[in-house]
Amino acid sequence: MSDNITLSLSQVRELSESVLFSNGFNAEHASAISDIIYTNQLGDCHSHGLYRLFMCVESIRSGRASGTATPTISDAGPAVVRADANDGISLLAMKAAMPLLIEKAKQNGVAALAINRCFHFSALWPEVEMLSAAGLAGMAMLPSHAWVAPAGGKRGLLGTNPFAFSWPRHGKAPFTFDFATSQFARGEIELYRRAGNPLPEGVAIDSEGNPTTDAKAAMNGAMLTFGGHKGSALSLMIELMAGPLIDDLTSKESMAAAGGKPEAPYHGEIILAFDPNMLSGGRVAENNDRAERLFADVIEQGARLPSQRRQAAQVFNLERNELEIPRALYEDLLKLKKG
Amino acid sequence: MSDNITLSLSQVRELSESVLFSNGFNAEHASAISDIIYTNQLGDCHSHGLYRLFMCVESIRSGRASGTATPTISDAGPAVVRADANDGISLLAMKAAMPLLIEKAKQNGVAALAINRCFHFSALWPEVEMLSAAGLAGMAMLPSHAWVAPAGGKRGLLGTNPFAFSWPRHGKAPFTFDFATSQFARGEIELYRRAGNPLPEGVAIDSEGNPTTDAKAAMNGAMLTFGGHKGSALSLMIELMAGPLIDDLTSKESMAAAGGKPEAPYHGEIILAFDPNMLSGGRVAENNDRAERLFADVIEQGARLPSQRRQAAQVFNLERNELEIPRALYEDLLKLKKG
């Protein structure tokens, strides 16, 4: 018996929607969440695909996240959209606010979307790729939980604080990246711990603030940012931009609010959109060519553009109209369905 | 005889202005450039202080940069300011456009300034600190010359591509950082070469694309970005945001245009401004407190905020109303004055 099971693409969506629906998410939330679960699974981003349904369901079962909250979208300034998720998962608020963000960016040249009071479990590349699909450049940031020490520090304070960016390429998959500003993801450290393998140097400190390669000591201590003091500075910027700037929680506040529960973190998110047409004075075609020469120069010297692997998987899985997931995951997801 | 000479703060400004003025910069350019030279010297940022006058003068003596160009400031969209430097040094254009950028950020919540067709020699923290002094958060980026290889690459393509951010703190020096996305600055590699010291690992590759710790081989090869593929992705974003997005040159195009001359690089710059008042829905005081708790938590665990050393030097030098510079630099600057 194979360890994998093959699902058609429509089965992936149906599985996600039925798990969510049977656990109390209404049709709007189940659809908005499944859009993103599906998109990640299509790109073989397993950690942010169907696997994340456990976290979604945990968030609603704990009684803290709402599966039926209607987000409040407001025009909060000429170039600002506010989306109050009203304690729902972020994705319905994001989906509902995105058309106004795109409109404002095209009207003003640049615009910001602040998503507030949301539970967040998803990768950031889907939202910045919604912007690049609309011909805009996009940037997104958010905090998480205080697992990461600042450079020179001894204790967790910063989140894994992801940063994502996407640039539209006419007729091609966009240039996109989406990375944690921590050296490792939290889940990676857990995998080392389970396997009993030592961590690489420079990834974590123990509870005394000393460098460690012991994954268990790291789980009780703190992770480090990528890139030393520069990565730490960026992570602090993300705390500020997606926290106090938009009237929402820092990673430390988010972790305190969660009280150790395994649900999705609760905080805000900021998404920025830039209109190449207005910012280039209407010279989009010439500047597309200039960007394409830059990308060609990257590839020509044997380097890779970020997201190429994920984008290739999306094309491959779409063409064959099916994909594989581990059988154990499939069976666990069936058990997660109620009724 | 001391190797240093003490100058009063007004002498620092006068020295800078007289060197620039006697070399053909008009009063407006000499003043705008000297503002920034002075501010850097005040913070003991020697590499971006009076020392940079050599690069300014080189840029005008080569006949390429204009010392008299009047920048063209235009209202390029509800949230966009364009400052065409018309082949002058960037700083007069930046200074002239800053009030409109601040006004637009406060009106719209977020705004962008694109500086085009400028020669650029300066650090980025002064411009983002102009924004934080006005109560805004600020971000700035620009390309340089193609000395840095993308992750997995073999040749220089990206610039040292600095990224700067500042956050306003009421009654305190702002939270600010300004770093190159290359692991080292170009000048640092040159210092290792002169001293005959080996470079640390991970800083550079030779002309064949192989890792090297030989500074001479590095100067003929390429530098690496900080933070591996994440730093490389950020550097590519900076090429796009401060290049094709605003109709200006990439680092490769800028280097080709310079033809190996030691003048300041010629390209564009993007500056973004964010209004905490509009973005927080008017809840500035509560969110200042939240940001201050974050900073206090950094300091309390023995870590440092970026720019603390420079900001302390500014206070120290302002209080005593004088500062030291190397005597040799002083004498070379006197020689740089014409007439």
Side-chain angles (χ1 to χ4, degrees):
Chain A
M1 192 173 93
S2 159
D3 287 321
N4 282 334
I5 183 168
T6 302
L7 298 176
S8 73
L9 298 188
S10 58
Q11 283 176 310
V12 172
R13 277 201 71 98
E14 283 156 20
L15 177 59
S16 173
E17 292 198 353
S18 63
V19 166
L20 293 165
F21 201 67
S22 73
N23 277 282
F25 287 92
N26 68 14
E28 289 75 22
H29 275 286
S31 168
I33 295 169
S34 296
D35 281 351
I36 300 299
I37 296 270
Y38 167 82
T39 304
N40 276 275
Q41 200 64 56
L42 194 64
D44 289 345
C45 299
H46 299 287
S47 64
H48 287 77
L50 290 164
Y51 172 73
R52 288 279 160 142
L53 288 170
F54 296 102
M55 197 183 246
C56 290
V57 168
E58 187 61 46
S59 302
I60 199 169
R61 285 188 183 170
S62 74
R64 300 218 320 137
S66 166
T68 56
T70 302
T72 313
I73 310 302
S74 51
D75 188 327
V80 180
V81 187
R82 185 173 298 283
D84 188 331
N86 291 317
D87 294 350
I89 301 277
S90 66
L91 295 168
L92 183 57
M94 188 269 285
K95 183 179 177 180
M98 200 51 90
L100 186 55
L101 174 64
I102 292 169
E103 186 188 320
K104 281 183 178 288
K106 292 187 176 178
Q107 272 170 0
N108 297 292
V110 47
L113 165 59
I115 305 178
N116 290 118
R117 303 202 296 145
C118 64
F119 288 85
H120 200 286
F121 73 87
S122 46
L124 292 183
W125 62 263
E127 34 258 60
V128 292
E129 289 203 348
M130 284 184 202
L131 293 173
S132 56
L136 303 172
M139 219 183 261
M141 300 169 229
L142 48 77
S144 62
H145 278 179
W147 291 311
V148 182
K154 291 175 161 38
R155 279 186 292 285
L157 172 65
L158 310 170
T160 51
N161 295 6
F163 184 92
F165 176 77
S166 190
W167 173 266
R169 300 178 67 187
H170 293 214
K172 293 184 178 172
F175 170 87
T176 305
F177 63 81
D178 176 3
F179 60 70
T181 52
S182 54
Q183 186 76 269
F184 268 27
R186 185 85 179 156
E188 280 178 278
I189 307 237
E190 177 61 18
L191 290 177
Y192 275 82
R193 191 191 64 77
R194 284 195 199 181
N197 289 332
L199 294 167
E201 305 269 350
V203 165
I205 52 178
D206 65 20
S207 58
E208 305 293 311
N210 299 312
T212 186
T213 57
D214 180 89
K216 193 175 165 195
M219 293 296 283
N220 295 327
M223 298 193 277
L224 295 175
T225 63
F226 91 102
H229 73 277
K230 295 181 183 182
S232 176
L234 265 185
S235 182
L236 275 162
M237 177 190 82
I238 293 168
E239 291 283 331
L240 295 165
M241 290 286 295
L245 182 67
I246 61 164
D247 187 32
D248 218 314
L249 305 186
T250 60
S251 293
K252 187 179 174 186
E253 291 172 321
S254 177
M255 188 146 98
K261 295 188 204 77
E263 60 199 26
Y266 178 76
H267 48 61
E269 172 178 359
I270 189 166
I271 306 177
L272 304 173
F274 304 90
D275 181 24
N277 184 46
M278 198 173 280
L279 284 158
S280 72
R283 294 170 56 84
V284 172
E286 302 88 318
N287 284 290
N288 277 341
D289 291 348
R290 171 174 276 156
E292 289 303 322
R293 287 195 296 275
L294 176 69
F295 300 139
D297 282 337
V298 171
I299 292 163
E300 181 269 337
Q301 61 175 278
R304 258 214 305 243
L305 295 176
S307 301
Q308 278 190 323
R309 197 161 10 194
R310 188 250 307 158
Q311 290 164 344
Q314 285 176 303
V315 170
F316 178 77
N317 289 328
L318 263 180
E319 274 177 6
R320 64 186 188 134
N321 199 31
E322 60 185 23
L323 51 75
E324 270 95 50
I325 66 166
R327 185 177 297 275
L329 171 64
Y330 180 70
E331 286 167 2
D332 286 345
L333 287 170
L334 291 183
K335 282 181 219 149
L336 200 61
K337 273 210 272 190
K338 275 188 178 170
Chain B
M1 193 174 94
S2 161
D3 287 320
N4 282 334
I5 183 167
T6 302
L7 298 177
S8 72
L9 298 188
S10 58
Q11 284 177 311
V12 172
R13 277 202 72 98
E14 282 157 21
L15 176 60
S16 173
E17 292 198 353
S18 63
V19 165
L20 293 166
F21 201 67
S22 72
N23 278 280
F25 287 94
N26 68 15
E28 289 73 23
H29 276 285
S31 169
I33 295 169
S34 297
D35 282 351
I36 300 300
I37 296 269
Y38 167 81
T39 304
N40 276 275
Q41 200 65 55
L42 195 63
D44 289 346
C45 300
H46 299 288
S47 64
H48 287 76
L50 290 164
Y51 173 73
R52 288 281 160 140
L53 288 170
F54 296 102
M55 195 182 248
C56 290
V57 168
E58 187 61 46
S59 301
I60 198 169
R61 285 187 181 169
S62 74
R64 300 217 320 136
S66 165
T68 57
T70 302
T72 312
I73 310 302
S74 51
D75 188 327
V80 180
V81 186
R82 186 173 297 284
D84 189 331
N86 291 315
D87 293 350
I89 300 279
S90 66
L91 295 168
L92 182 57
M94 189 269 285
K95 183 180 177 180
M98 201 50 91
L100 186 55
L101 174 64
I102 291 169
E103 186 188 321
K104 281 183 177 290
K106 291 187 176 178
Q107 273 170 359
N108 296 292
V110 47
L113 164 60
I115 304 177
N116 289 120
R117 304 202 297 144
C118 64
F119 288 86
H120 200 287
F121 73 87
S122 45
L124 292 183
W125 63 262
E127 34 258 62
V128 292
E129 289 203 348
M130 283 183 202
L131 293 172
S132 56
L136 303 172
M139 218 182 262
M141 298 170 231
L142 46 78
S144 62
H145 278 180
W147 292 311
V148 182
K154 291 174 161 39
R155 277 185 295 284
L157 173 65
L158 309 170
T160 51
N161 295 6
F163 184 92
F165 176 77
S166 189
W167 172 266
R169 299 178 67 188
H170 293 214
K172 291 182 179 174
F175 169 88
T176 305
F177 64 81
D178 175 4
F179 61 70
T181 52
S182 54
Q183 186 76 271
F184 268 29
R186 185 85 178 156
E188 280 178 279
I189 308 236
E190 176 62 16
L191 289 177
Y192 274 81
R193 190 190 64 76
R194 284 195 198 181
N197 288 331
L199 293 168
E201 306 269 351
V203 166
I205 52 177
D206 64 20
S207 58
E208 306 294 310
N210 299 313
T212 186
T213 58
D214 180 273
K216 193 176 165 191
M219 294 296 284
N220 295 326
M223 297 192 278
L224 296 174
T225 64
F226 90 102
H229 72 278
K230 295 181 183 181
S232 176
L234 265 186
S235 182
L236 275 161
M237 176 189 84
I238 293 168
E239 291 283 332
L240 294 165
M241 289 286 294
L245 182 67
I246 60 163
D247 188 32
D248 219 312
L249 306 185
T250 60
S251 294
K252 186 180 175 186
E253 291 172 321
S254 176
M255 189 146 99
K261 295 187 206 78
E263 61 199 22
Y266 178 76
H267 48 61
E269 172 178 357
I270 189 166
I271 305 177
L272 304 173
F274 305 90
D275 181 23
N277 183 48
M278 198 172 280
L279 284 157
S280 72
R283 295 170 55 83
V284 172
E286 301 87 320
N287 284 289
N288 277 342
D289 292 347
R290 170 174 276 155
E292 289 303 321
R293 286 195 296 274
L294 176 69
F295 300 140
D297 282 337
V298 171
I299 292 164
E300 180 269 335
Q301 61 175 277
R304 259 215 304 242
L305 295 177
S307 302
Q308 279 191 323
R309 198 162 8 196
R310 188 251 307 158
Q311 289 164 343
Q314 285 176 303
V315 170
F316 178 77
N317 289 328
L318 262 181
E319 275 178 4
R320 64 184 189 137
N321 197 32
E322 60 186 23
L323 51 74
E324 270 95 51
I325 66 166
R327 186 176 296 275
L329 172 63
Y330 180 68
E331 286 167 1
D332 286 346
L333 287 171
L334 292 183
K335 283 181 218 149
L336 199 60
K337 273 210 271 188
K338 275 187 176 169

